[in-house]
Amino acid sequence: MSGFEGRSVEEARELVRSSIDRPSAARVYDYILGGGHNYSVDREFARKQLDVFPDIRLAMTTNRQFLGRAVRFAVAAGIRQFIDIGSGLPSAGNVHEIADQADPDRSCRVVYIDNEPIAHAHARILLADNADARRHLALDADFFDRDGLWTRIVDSGYIDPTQPVCLLAVALLHFMSPEAEPRQTLAYYADQLAPGSMLALSHVTNDELPDDAAAEAVRNYASTANPVYFRTRDEITDLFGDWPLVDPGLVWAPLWHADPYFEAASSQQSDPARSKMLAALARKPERV
């Protein structure tokens, strides 16, 4: 297996070079994290957002750190399969890198999923250049495809649906409108997963956020391919359905299993709401 589907790596590289007509949320995220997979249109938009929300870099860094801690937590709990939906562009601390570092046997399998052509192209290049293609795969697919996407995941042979999986929906659902009903689609995937599986989720919130700042941020992102929709703490909690949350529950992202060795994470303990990001991990109960 090649580690990606569809276009060749060279075609993916050409797609990366040609996709620069409007800001991409994935590339903006990459730029703010200090990555190199972005263009002037993304950097200009990112600087505009930084003017509105000076803490946006803090929020994105915090989110990336949460992703790493959630993956390590899942590996420590015995999970060796990961599905990262809305994986975005390759940035420091990709899921397969974290999982491989945490698992000395290098037995983890990761399926990356993104429907943005530029993000998927970068994922293909990443896996071709520095990943074990026998264990890690990138799919060009849409979260809302449900049956079609799940069939492709299972048919790929990378994921065993009879064994627990950690499903990652990190900084994903705030790009989906309430009218699209992402809760129902997420519940579909949750139903497919084996008992003992985990769901790691983070989401921006307008709780404790000035209304004028929130409104301007929403207006700015509305001009991109990825509009943002804030949700309240209760609305984010509802996304987990009836899966019990692992302690400490839904908290500001810097507080979720905070790692004192991460300077950026520990420095936020005095005001974790600055992250603007709520995060939690839930585990599917064993069958009775």
Side-chain angles (χ1 to χ4, degrees):
M1 288 179 280
S2 64
F4 52 84
E5 292 185 343
R7 299 182 182 90
S8 68
V9 175
E10 284 308 311
E11 288 173 321
R13 295 186 197 278
E14 177 57 32
L15 181 58
V16 167
R17 290 189 288 266
S18 64
S19 179
I20 59 173
D21 57 332
R22 65 187 302 193
S24 153
R27 294 194 307 250
V28 170
Y29 185 55
D30 173 75
Y31 168 71
I32 291 177
L33 286 178
H37 305 300
N38 50 77
Y39 301 100
S40 59
V41 65
D42 308 301
R43 295 188 286 273
E44 180 180 353
F45 178 81
R47 287 190 286 268
K48 183 178 180 181
Q49 288 298 84
L50 285 165
D51 287 341
V52 177
F53 281 144
D55 282 343
I56 194 169
R57 180 173 283 111
L58 185 66
M60 292 183 175
T61 301
T62 290
N63 183 69
R64 198 68 179 178
Q65 292 170 350
F66 163 72
L67 172 68
R69 295 197 300 274
V71 170
R72 288 190 289 271
F73 183 94
V75 171
I79 290 181
R80 295 295 181 269
Q81 304 186 113
F82 296 84
I83 300 174
D84 186 3
I85 303 185
S87 51
L89 296 184
S91 299
N94 294 288
V95 173
H96 74 277
E97 295 170 333
I98 298 166
D100 282 350
Q101 290 167 3
D103 172 24
D105 295 330
R106 295 292 180 98
S107 59
C108 291
R109 293 173 175 266
V110 179
V111 174
Y112 292 105
I113 296 163
D114 208 293
N115 70 339
E116 187 179 54
I118 186 69
H120 180 63
H122 275 295
R124 288 176 173 177
I125 295 167
L126 169 75
L127 295 185
D129 288 349
N130 65 5
D132 183 351
R134 297 168 298 177
R135 295 185 293 114
H136 308 311
L137 171 72
L139 291 178
D140 180 5
D142 194 294
F143 169 78
F144 290 104
D145 194 19
R146 298 196 189 192
D147 287 336
L149 173 53
W150 185 249
T151 297
R152 288 179 65 191
I153 291 171
V154 174
D155 288 350
S156 73
Y158 282 73
I159 297 295
D160 179 354
T162 69
Q163 297 300 312
V165 172
C166 182
L167 177 64
L168 300 160
V170 176
L172 170 67
L173 298 182
H174 50 236
F175 294 113
M176 299 177 181
S177 71
E179 292 75 21
E181 299 185 336
R183 166 70 181 86
Q184 284 78 358
T185 299
L186 189 63
Y188 167 83
Y189 295 117
D191 287 344
Q192 312 312 308
L193 300 180
S197 292
M198 293 181 173
L199 168 62
L201 186 152
S202 62
H203 197 297
V204 294
T205 182
N206 52 2
D207 287 4
E208 301 184 31
L209 190 67
D211 290 341
D212 55 346
E216 186 167 355
V218 169
R219 284 195 298 271
N220 287 346
Y221 266 96
S223 67
T224 76
N226 311 98
V228 167
Y229 302 89
F230 291 108
R231 287 179 173 87
T232 66
R233 182 180 292 270
D234 287 345
E235 289 170 331
I236 296 168
T237 299
D238 185 59
L239 295 171
F240 289 92
D242 59 0
W243 287 23
L245 299 183
V246 171
D247 287 340
L250 184 68
V251 295
W252 295 112
L255 300 181
W256 195 88
H257 288 256
D259 186 339
Y261 295 101
F262 279 105
E263 180 181 351
S266 61
S267 68
Q268 295 170 51
Q269 302 310 307
S270 61
D271 187 13
R274 286 179 58 201
S275 71
K276 314 296 190 293
M277 191 80 64
L278 290 170
L281 185 145
R283 189 156 199 173
K284 187 171 188 176
E286 298 291 337
R287 293 190 180 95
V288 179

